[in-house]
Amino acid sequence: MPFEPFHYEVHEFTDETGWITTTIHCHGKIISENTGDVRNLVKPLIERGGHIILDFTDLQFLDSSGLGTIVSLKVSSINRGLCKLDLVNFTPRIEKLLLLTNLLELFVGQVPSHLE
């Protein structure tokens, strides 16, 4: 089955304190050809601050360029302060990629014991 092109939906929620949570539901694949699109989508949200959630439920593929972009965005969010970037709902393939590259802990805090 061929991979579908990258596309997304964005949902925002502001709580009573003004903290903005932005969830980006990612679909298809994040590869070298579209990492600029991902960066251009997320970077302004990092500058604004708040909580950014990249939901990978329907992400089919992530190549090394896509992984590098996600890591770069995570580091930018940490350096920015007042911003939190989380990845959620990994497919088994993406979870394995993050585990093999020793990056799973960066995104989930602690590697689940069943994956160690």
Side-chain angles (χ1 to χ4, degrees):
M1 178 173 117
F3 297 117
E4 60 184 285
F6 177 71
H7 62 283
Y8 58 89
E9 296 92 39
V10 177
H11 298 99
E12 286 196 340
F13 170 76
T14 304
D15 70 13
E16 62 278 353
T17 66
W19 184 253
I20 302 169
T21 298
T22 305
T23 302
I24 302 170
H25 300 275
C26 300
H27 307 275
K29 55 187 177 178
I30 299 177
I31 57 174
S32 58
E33 288 85 1
N34 60 26
T35 56
D37 297 337
V38 176
R39 185 174 277 110
N40 292 337
L41 171 65
V42 177
K43 200 76 164 157
L45 300 173
I46 292 171
E47 294 304 315
R48 180 183 69 185
H51 188 191
I52 304 162
I53 300 169
L54 297 179
D55 185 340
F56 282 2
T57 300
D58 293 321
L59 190 69
Q60 299 168 319
F61 189 77
L62 181 69
D63 75 2
S64 60
S65 294
L67 181 60
T69 296
I70 299 303
V71 170
S72 173
L73 291 168
K74 177 68 173 184
V75 170
S76 293
S77 72
I78 292 167
N79 290 337
R80 171 75 172 109
L82 299 177
C83 182
K84 181 179 179 188
L85 175 68
D86 289 323
L87 305 183
V88 298
N89 301 323
F90 308 117
T91 61
R93 169 185 272 172
I94 291 173
E95 185 173 62
K96 185 175 181 179
L97 173 65
L98 293 172
L99 184 64
L100 290 172
T101 56
N102 291 318
L103 292 169
L104 188 60
E105 200 169 332
L106 174 66
F107 293 104
V108 298
Q110 183 175 349
V111 177
S113 60
H114 73 280
L115 295 174
E116 293 184 297

